[in-house]
Amino acid sequence: MNLQGRTAIVTGASSGIGAATVRKLREAGVRVVGGARRVERIEADLALPLDVTDEESSAAFVGRAVAELGGLDILYNNAGLALGRYPFWESNEEDEATVLHTNVDGVLRMTRLCLPHVRDGGHILFTGSVAGRQAYENAASYVAAKFGLRGFVYGLREDLLGRDIRVTTVDAGLTETEFSLVRFKGDAERAKAVYENVDPLTPDDVADCVLFALTRPPHVNVDEVVVKALAQSSGGRIVRRPS
Ligand code: NAP
């Protein structure tokens, strides 16, 4: 399917997978509004501030984006994060709230706000995670959030059955982005170690999966794509080269 002339909203467009997807969508002729808190980092047709954890910010973003685009064909719910790598007894209220509000509530909110504007032939996509399919240690709140996201998408697919809107989740494995820098709260050494002695996925690899789902013929719904680095079988089981 040709994407030329279509319109899209991408959340989490300031970095990593979101930024790579914005680039690829624009190369395919899609007009893209990108949203994130660090709006100055977004390279899209229009960059707007967005905090998916905040109803007012999200509503204002969607209102401006849809007015600019004149209708919506593609929503890519990609904004998300993890905080910390600790056993759950070391967890705290603040990290749990941020992780759940961003990855779950934020995704429900953005989908609810955008859905009335999605045209027939539209497509709603999500960045899930291998963490939402198989637990790994010291990541319980993130695992809970991504399992929650997957449940929501299954429910949404049921509700949209019979309508001309496709739904896809890309469940990504180890991908080298700022994800680990955020998770380790700015500890660059720790973040770098996550990607050492292994060939992780690149943001472009994940963006390619998004583009694959979008460009199938209209009657084909790619429900889920699970993509991992070759050297991993789950979020917690990664084989590294000897250093
Ligand atoms: P990243 O480089 O840190 O990008 C995360 C993006 O989410 C940023 O653009 C960030 O923008 C945005 N974001 C975070 N909180 C937000 C909020 N409250 N409102 C709006 N935007 C927000 O990491 P990434 O790896 O590309 O992450 C993208 C998605 O992939 C996430 O859902 C993540 O859970 C998922 N994922 C990542 C991996 C991996 O290994 N990297 C694996 C599986 C799934 P601002 O900070 O500027 O707001």
Side-chain angles (χ1 to χ4, degrees), residues 109-122:
R109 173 177 298 117
M110 284 301 295
T111 306
R112 167 171 43 79
L113 290 169
C114 287
L115 204 41
H117 306 288
V118 178
R119 291 191 275 240
D120 280 359

PDB file of all heavy atoms in Angstrom, residues 109-122:
ATOM      1  N   ARG A 109      -5.308   7.175  26.726  1.00  0.00           N
ATOM      2  CA  ARG A 109      -5.750   8.570  26.548  1.00  0.00           C
ATOM      3  C   ARG A 109      -5.562   9.025  25.107  1.00  0.00           C
ATOM      4  O   ARG A 109      -6.486   9.567  24.483  1.00  0.00           O
ATOM      5  CB  ARG A 109      -4.942   9.457  27.513  1.00  0.00           C
ATOM      6  CG  ARG A 109      -5.157  10.951  27.347  1.00  0.00           C
ATOM      7  CD  ARG A 109      -4.380  11.726  28.401  1.00  0.00           C
ATOM      8  NE  ARG A 109      -4.819  11.403  29.739  1.00  0.00           N
ATOM      9  CZ  ARG A 109      -4.063  10.829  30.683  1.00  0.00           C
ATOM     10  NH1 ARG A 109      -2.782  10.545  30.427  1.00  0.00           N
ATOM     11  NH2 ARG A 109      -4.537  10.572  31.866  1.00  0.00           N
ATOM     12  N   MET A 110      -4.360   8.822  24.575  1.00  0.00           N
ATOM     13  CA  MET A 110      -4.082   9.289  23.214  1.00  0.00           C
ATOM     14  C   MET A 110      -4.957   8.561  22.194  1.00  0.00           C
ATOM     15  O   MET A 110      -5.426   9.157  21.223  1.00  0.00           O
ATOM     16  CB  MET A 110      -2.591   9.092  22.890  1.00  0.00           C
ATOM     17  CG  MET A 110      -1.683  10.117  23.537  1.00  0.00           C
ATOM     18  SD  MET A 110      -2.077  11.816  23.045  1.00  0.00           S
ATOM     19  CE  MET A 110      -1.693  11.747  21.293  1.00  0.00           C
ATOM     20  N   THR A 111      -5.208   7.284  22.436  1.00  0.00           N
ATOM     21  CA  THR A 111      -6.064   6.530  21.509  1.00  0.00           C
ATOM     22  C   THR A 111      -7.496   7.055  21.573  1.00  0.00           C
ATOM     23  O   THR A 111      -8.146   7.280  20.548  1.00  0.00           O
ATOM     24  CB  THR A 111      -6.016   5.026  21.861  1.00  0.00           C
ATOM     25  OG1 THR A 111      -4.648   4.613  21.890  1.00  0.00           O
ATOM     26  CG2 THR A 111      -6.792   4.188  20.852  1.00  0.00           C
ATOM     27  N   ARG A 112      -7.992   7.279  22.784  1.00  0.00           N
ATOM     28  CA  ARG A 112      -9.359   7.801  22.959  1.00  0.00           C
ATOM     29  C   ARG A 112      -9.508   9.173  22.299  1.00  0.00           C
ATOM     30  O   ARG A 112     -10.503   9.439  21.621  1.00  0.00           O
ATOM     31  CB  ARG A 112      -9.672   7.896  24.466  1.00  0.00           C
ATOM     32  CG  ARG A 112     -10.914   8.695  24.799  1.00  0.00           C
ATOM     33  CD  ARG A 112     -11.314   8.594  26.263  1.00  0.00           C
ATOM     34  NE  ARG A 112     -10.243   8.686  27.230  1.00  0.00           N
ATOM     35  CZ  ARG A 112      -9.659   9.827  27.619  1.00  0.00           C
ATOM     36  NH1 ARG A 112     -10.009  10.977  27.081  1.00  0.00           N
ATOM     37  NH2 ARG A 112      -8.706   9.805  28.529  1.00  0.00           N
ATOM     38  N   LEU A 113      -8.499  10.045  22.473  1.00  0.00           N
ATOM     39  CA  LEU A 113      -8.591  11.399  21.922  1.00  0.00           C
ATOM     40  C   LEU A 113      -8.473  11.398  20.394  1.00  0.00           C
ATOM     41  O   LEU A 113      -9.100  12.224  19.723  1.00  0.00           O
ATOM     42  CB  LEU A 113      -7.496  12.287  22.531  1.00  0.00           C
ATOM     43  CG  LEU A 113      -7.667  12.637  24.016  1.00  0.00           C
ATOM     44  CD1 LEU A 113      -6.385  13.276  24.562  1.00  0.00           C
ATOM     45  CD2 LEU A 113      -8.853  13.587  24.216  1.00  0.00           C
ATOM     46  N   CYS A 114      -7.687  10.485  19.856  1.00  0.00           N
ATOM     47  CA  CYS A 114      -7.452  10.480  18.402  1.00  0.00           C
ATOM     48  C   CYS A 114      -8.532   9.726  17.629  1.00  0.00           C
ATOM     49  O   CYS A 114      -8.809  10.054  16.469  1.00  0.00           O
ATOM     50  CB  CYS A 114      -6.088   9.853  18.088  1.00  0.00           C
ATOM     51  SG  CYS A 114      -4.699  10.914  18.520  1.00  0.00           S
ATOM     52  N   LEU A 115      -9.101   8.715  18.267  1.00  0.00           N
ATOM     53  CA  LEU A 115     -10.002   7.798  17.554  1.00  0.00           C
ATOM     54  C   LEU A 115     -11.120   8.506  16.772  1.00  0.00           C
ATOM     55  O   LEU A 115     -11.392   8.139  15.611  1.00  0.00           O
ATOM     56  CB  LEU A 115     -10.565   6.780  18.540  1.00  0.00           C
ATOM     57  CG  LEU A 115     -11.053   5.431  18.007  1.00  0.00           C
ATOM     58  CD1 LEU A 115     -10.144   4.839  16.945  1.00  0.00           C
ATOM     59  CD2 LEU A 115     -11.238   4.468  19.165  1.00  0.00           C
ATOM     60  N   PRO A 116     -11.771   9.533  17.326  1.00  0.00           N
ATOM     61  CA  PRO A 116     -12.840  10.183  16.555  1.00  0.00           C
ATOM     62  C   PRO A 116     -12.343  10.819  15.251  1.00  0.00           C
ATOM     63  O   PRO A 116     -13.147  11.093  14.354  1.00  0.00           O
ATOM     64  CB  PRO A 116     -13.357  11.280  17.508  1.00  0.00           C
ATOM     65  CG  PRO A 116     -12.883  10.879  18.867  1.00  0.00           C
ATOM     66  CD  PRO A 116     -11.613  10.107  18.664  1.00  0.00           C
ATOM     67  N   HIS A 117     -11.036  11.042  15.156  1.00  0.00           N
ATOM     68  CA  HIS A 117     -10.487  11.722  13.972  1.00  0.00           C
ATOM     69  C   HIS A 117      -9.880  10.752  12.965  1.00  0.00           C
ATOM     70  O   HIS A 117      -9.434  11.167  11.895  1.00  0.00           O
ATOM     71  CB  HIS A 117      -9.408  12.726  14.404  1.00  0.00           C
ATOM     72  CG  HIS A 117      -9.881  13.688  15.444  1.00  0.00           C
ATOM     73  ND1 HIS A 117     -10.766  14.706  15.167  1.00  0.00           N
ATOM     74  CD2 HIS A 117      -9.631  13.749  16.779  1.00  0.00           C
ATOM     75  CE1 HIS A 117     -11.024  15.371  16.287  1.00  0.00           C
ATOM     76  NE2 HIS A 117     -10.351  14.812  17.271  1.00  0.00           N
ATOM     77  N   VAL A 118      -9.808   9.462  13.332  1.00  0.00           N
ATOM     78  CA  VAL A 118      -9.167   8.487  12.431  1.00  0.00           C
ATOM     79  C   VAL A 118     -10.130   8.154  11.296  1.00  0.00           C
ATOM     80  O   VAL A 118     -11.253   7.715  11.524  1.00  0.00           O
ATOM     81  CB  VAL A 118      -8.759   7.202  13.192  1.00  0.00           C
ATOM     82  CG1 VAL A 118      -8.133   6.198  12.226  1.00  0.00           C
ATOM     83  CG2 VAL A 118      -7.783   7.527  14.322  1.00  0.00           C
ATOM     84  N   ARG A 119      -9.661   8.383  10.066  1.00  0.00           N
ATOM     85  CA  ARG A 119     -10.517   8.165   8.890  1.00  0.00           C
ATOM     86  C   ARG A 119     -10.604   6.679   8.550  1.00  0.00           C
ATOM     87  O   ARG A 119      -9.750   5.884   8.965  1.00  0.00           O
ATOM     88  CB  ARG A 119      -9.896   8.884   7.680  1.00  0.00           C
ATOM     89  CG  ARG A 119      -9.947  10.380   7.785  1.00  0.00           C
ATOM     90  CD  ARG A 119      -9.572  11.019   6.451  1.00  0.00           C
ATOM     91  NE  ARG A 119      -8.143  11.165   6.281  1.00  0.00           N
ATOM     92  CZ  ARG A 119      -7.527  12.333   6.103  1.00  0.00           C
ATOM     93  NH1 ARG A 119      -8.224  13.457   6.083  1.00  0.00           N
ATOM     94  NH2 ARG A 119      -6.225  12.399   5.930  1.00  0.00           N
ATOM     95  N   ASP A 120     -11.619   6.305   7.780  1.00  0.00           N
ATOM     96  CA  ASP A 120     -11.686   4.944   7.249  1.00  0.00           C
ATOM     97  C   ASP A 120     -10.386   4.645   6.493  1.00  0.00           C
ATOM     98  O   ASP A 120      -9.842   5.523   5.810  1.00  0.00           O
ATOM     99  CB  ASP A 120     -12.870   4.799   6.283  1.00  0.00           C
ATOM    100  CG  ASP A 120     -14.182   4.617   7.052  1.00  0.00           C
ATOM    101  OD1 ASP A 120     -14.150   4.582   8.306  1.00  0.00           O
ATOM    102  OD2 ASP A 120     -15.225   4.510   6.387  1.00  0.00           O
ATOM    103  N   GLY A 121      -9.919   3.420   6.641  1.00  0.00           N
ATOM    104  CA  GLY A 121      -8.630   3.059   6.045  1.00  0.00           C
ATOM    105  C   GLY A 121      -7.476   3.410   6.972  1.00  0.00           C
ATOM    106  O   GLY A 121      -6.312   3.239   6.603  1.00  0.00           O
ATOM    107  N   GLY A 122      -7.813   3.875   8.171  1.00  0.00           N
ATOM    108  CA  GLY A 122      -6.785   4.301   9.125  1.00  0.00           C
ATOM    109  C   GLY A 122      -6.096   3.135   9.822  1.00  0.00           C
ATOM    110  O   GLY A 122      -6.489   1.973   9.674  1.00  0.00           O
TER     111      GLY A 122
END
